[in-house]
């Protein structure tokens, strides 16, 4: 894979109205302990079932001399939340997970990214992360939806963070919010970045998910294809090549996109990621997702494009009409694809048992 977006924990210190997942929120006392214990039990199994070879061939970098005809680059794993820096997630989950990744991928150059809202970062935490092999600290809370970060209010925090990072020997990635091509950033010196749900960002239209949906915040229409972009399902089946990415939940559930389909395609506590991906290659519904054309995912099941587009119509909680391909994808999963996913998983598990 080029990239895995791994949500380590539901715990967060904020409850943002634009969040795509309602489970991202503050937890206290017993509820917090339950959330932390769940992921403490899950993450070693999840990491153990990640690809052994976490590199990929970059199809944008042909080479006459490199094996395979393209430059081979190290993959990337993004550890996110929630907020991975809250106590006790940071000490009990994030740091041990970083150490496990460092040991598992020693020598492969895998780039580990820690995504945070930014407001909990301290010089000691920066040192702790860099010591554990973190290549990038990505501050994702830089937008008007995060309380206290509206407009110019976030500038002082960004300046403090910039000074903190550069004092630790990090450099600005200088990636614009419209780009996700991190392969252009050379190895060596660790980097930092800032982004948020701003109008110019790839998530600026706001995903129709979670509290963002409950608060009727999505501005995406039927022409806004989240699937056909980074963090969408685009290229998720292209294992071993550039563009391949999946999303993983704290419980190990795997999805072809960060928005998350209505049903997980597998679970990394039970299965290898390579096996899950390979079992879906060639399947018409998942190939449609992987090519960025979700409107075609039902063609083999009697859902022509017109039917899919009609199923993409709904009403927002505020009563306004709404149309987006993510809604059609949800309905196709509910009405057709859910049992298909279960059948594919049962076949995978049977093959696994037979091989043991």
């Amino acid at each position: 894979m080029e990239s895995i977006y791994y949500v380590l924990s539901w715990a967060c210190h904020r409850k943002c109205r634009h969040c795509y997942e309602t489970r991202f929120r503050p937890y206290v006392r017993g509820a917090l302990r339950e959330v932390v214990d769940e992921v403490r039990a899950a993450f070693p199994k999840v990491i153990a079932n990640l690809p052994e070879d976490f590199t990929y061939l970059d199809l944008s970098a042909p080479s006459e001399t490199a094996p395979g005809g393209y430059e081979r680059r190290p993959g990337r794993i993004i550890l996110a939340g929630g907020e991975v820096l809250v106590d006790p997630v940071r000490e009990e989950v994030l740091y041990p997970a970083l150490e496990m990744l460092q040991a598992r991928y020693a020598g492969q150059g895998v780039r580990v990214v820690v995504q945070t809202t930014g407001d909990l970062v301290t010089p000691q935490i920066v040192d702790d992360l860099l010591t554990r092999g973190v290549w990038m600290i990505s501050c994702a809370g830089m937008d008007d939806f995060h309380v206290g970060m509206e407009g110019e209010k976030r500038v002082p925090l960004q300046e403090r963070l910039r000074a903190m990072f550069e004092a630790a020997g990090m450099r600005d990635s200088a990636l614009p919010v419209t780009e996700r091509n991190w392969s252009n950033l050379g190895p060596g010196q660790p980097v930092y970045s800032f982004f948020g749900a701003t109008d110019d960002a790839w998530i600026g239209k706001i995903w129709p998910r979670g509290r963002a949906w409950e608060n009727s915040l999505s501005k995406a229409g039927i022409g806004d294809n989240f699937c056909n972009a980074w963090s969408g399902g685009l290229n998720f089946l292209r294992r071993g090549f550039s563009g391949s990415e999946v999303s993983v939940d704290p419980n190990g559930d795997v999805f072809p996109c960060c928005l998350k389909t209505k049903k997980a395609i597998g679970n990394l506590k039970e299965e290898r990621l390579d096996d899950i991906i390979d079992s879906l290659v060639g399947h018409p519904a998942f190939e449609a997702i992987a090519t960025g054309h979700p409107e075609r995912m039902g063609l083999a099941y009697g859902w022509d494009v017109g039917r899919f587009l009609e199923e993409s119509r709904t009403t927002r909680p505020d009563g306004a009409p709404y149309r987006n391909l993510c809604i059609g994808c949800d309905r196709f999963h509910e009405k057709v694809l859910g049992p298909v996913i279960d059948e594919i998983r049962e076949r995978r598990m049977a093959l696994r048992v037979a091989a043991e």
Side-chain angles (χ1 to χ4, degrees):
M1 304 297 289
E2 177 180 348
S3 180
I4 293 174
Y5 189 86
Y6 182 12
V7 174
L8 268 181
S9 173
W10 301 123
C12 192
H13 63 311
R14 292 175 176 268
K15 191 177 180 180
C16 298
R17 59 195 298 267
H18 76 304
C19 191
Y20 72 98
E21 174 58 73
T22 58
R23 287 172 289 187
F24 291 148
R25 57 181 175 81
Y27 293 81
V28 296
R29 296 182 290 278
L32 177 59
R33 175 43 53 191
E34 183 177 340
V35 166
V36 174
D37 286 347
E38 175 193 25
V39 74
R40 282 180 62 194
F43 83 79
K45 299 175 184 177
V46 170
I47 293 175
N49 279 321
L50 296 181
E52 292 184 15
D53 181 357
F54 206 153
T55 63
Y56 66 96
L57 294 180
D58 188 347
L59 299 182
S60 68
S63 170
E64 295 299 323
T65 58
Y70 295 89
E71 294 293 335
R72 182 167 292 279
R73 304 193 190 281
R76 175 175 63 252
I77 183 164
I78 304 163
L79 301 178
E83 173 55 74
V84 293
L85 299 185
V86 296
D87 293 322
V89 174
R90 185 181 70 254
E91 296 284 348
E92 296 187 27
V93 178
L94 175 62
Y95 289 172
L98 288 171
E99 292 161 7
M100 190 172 183
L101 288 168
Q102 197 171 28
R104 178 168 174 79
Y105 295 114
Q108 291 194 32
V110 172
R111 294 175 168 182
V112 180
V113 180
V114 169
Q115 185 173 297
T116 170
T117 55
D119 50 333
L120 298 184
V121 177
T122 66
Q124 182 61 58
I125 288 175
V126 173
D127 289 344
D128 291 343
L129 296 178
L130 296 181
T131 298
R132 291 169 172 84
V134 170
W135 168 72
M136 174 188 279
I137 300 176
S138 183
C139 300
M142 305 300 151
D143 56 56
D144 293 346
F145 293 104
H146 286 83
V147 176
M149 301 291 172
E150 303 90 344
E152 294 299 310
K153 291 182 180 179
R154 54 183 172 265
V155 173
L157 174 61
Q158 288 179 321
E159 291 177 347
R160 289 198 304 274
L161 288 169
R162 193 180 302 277
M164 202 183 305
F165 294 146
E166 294 183 357
M170 304 178 72
R171 63 183 172 89
D172 191 341
S173 70
L175 284 176
V177 294
T178 53
E179 282 189 23
R180 301 287 285 168
N181 188 8
W182 293 348
S183 63
N184 289 336
L185 300 173
Q189 188 178 7
V191 297
Y192 63 89
S193 66
F194 301 117
F195 77 97
T198 53
D199 288 340
D200 55 342
W202 77 101
I203 52 174
K205 292 287 183 74
I206 306 296
W207 297 337
R209 291 289 187 268
R211 283 192 295 276
W213 178 254
E214 293 174 352
N215 292 314
S216 300
L217 293 178
S218 178
K219 297 176 287 185
I222 193 64
D224 296 299
N225 186 351
F226 289 118
C227 197
N228 192 34
W230 193 260
S231 293
L234 184 66
N235 295 323
F236 89 97
L237 291 179
R238 198 159 68 175
R239 182 169 73 83
F241 297 93
S242 52
S244 53
E245 183 186 54
V246 294
S247 176
V248 182
D249 266 1
N251 66 353
D253 279 346
V254 184
F255 299 89
C257 59
C258 289
L259 291 74
K260 294 191 288 192
T261 47
K262 200 70 173 178
K263 188 177 181 69
I265 58 175
N267 187 284
L268 292 187
K269 291 192 299 182
E270 306 167 350
E271 307 178 78
R272 296 168 63 245
L273 179 59
D274 290 353
D275 295 339
I276 295 171
I277 297 297
D278 289 350
S279 73
L280 303 179
V281 172
H283 190 285
F286 294 104
E287 289 289 351
I289 293 174
T291 57
H293 288 285
E295 74 280 3
R296 299 178 63 83
M297 65 194 299
L299 293 182
Y301 294 90
W303 280 44
D304 62 15
V305 172
R307 167 77 184 275
F308 191 97
L309 294 177
E310 186 59 31
E311 294 280 356
S312 298
R313 189 188 305 273
T314 189
T315 302
R316 293 192 322 195
D318 65 359
Y322 184 84
R323 294 181 73 199
N324 185 261
L325 297 175
C326 287
I327 305 301
C329 179
D330 288 347
R331 288 182 174 162
F332 184 67
H333 274 76
E334 291 169 349
K335 297 181 179 182
V336 178
L337 200 56
V340 175
I341 292 173
D342 290 337
E343 291 173 8
I344 295 173
R345 179 185 178 278
E346 288 173 6
R347 290 198 296 268
R348 283 198 311 267
M349 300 303 288
L351 289 172
R352 178 179 174 181
V353 170
E356 291 177 349

